[in-house]
Amino acid sequence: MHHGVLSCGPDDALRDVAAIMANHRVHAVLIAERQGGRPLGLVSDLDVAAAAARGQDNVTAREAAGAEPVTVASDAPVQDAARLMSEHGVSHLVVVESASGYPAGVISTLDVAGIHGGR
């Protein structure tokens, strides 16, 4: 898991979210009403690419994001995260604190591969 979460507001321009990804070299940004707030969505690099392919220059983070974010508890085993990714066809999960539901980080398919490969 990557600790900490980069986030944006639901009405932020997708080009601004793409800039966050590029500047911080990440593949996903959490959508939340406020910094550290409960997750409303997750914009991935694939969402940015899909919007660019459709010529959508003026869309918001909320419009570009896929469905509701898939979450996994911070104390769940990595197998649970891998299963959720597979079942939902996503490459990133929001890791939430079990007690509060607030985001603690993001886990990606590359994180799972690194753990599975004995990194």
Side-chain angles (χ1 to χ4, degrees):
M1 171 180 91
H2 297 277
H3 293 278
V5 178
L6 291 171
S7 64
C8 67
D11 297 322
D12 288 359
L14 185 60
R15 68 182 161 280
D16 295 337
V17 179
I20 292 170
M21 289 180 190
N23 291 336
H24 293 278
R25 302 184 56 84
V26 298
H27 295 270
V29 174
L30 180 77
I31 301 171
E33 287 293 341
R34 58 181 172 74
Q35 184 68 25
R38 289 208 169 113
L40 301 174
L42 189 72
V43 178
S44 74
D45 52 354
L46 295 175
D47 296 323
V48 173
R54 292 188 299 266
Q56 295 177 318
D57 295 328
N58 295 318
V59 297
T60 65
R62 182 190 332 246
E63 292 167 337
E68 291 288 318
V70 181
T71 62
V72 64
S74 59
D75 57 357
V78 71
Q79 292 85 355
D80 288 358
R83 179 183 50 76
L84 286 167
M85 288 175 179
S86 178
E87 287 175 359
H88 293 274
V90 297
S91 58
H92 296 83
L93 300 177
V94 178
V95 179
V96 295
E97 293 295 338
S98 299
S100 68
Y102 286 99
V106 173
I107 187 167
S108 73
T109 51
L110 289 176
D111 296 324
V112 173
I115 294 167
H116 186 70
R119 169 171 69 125

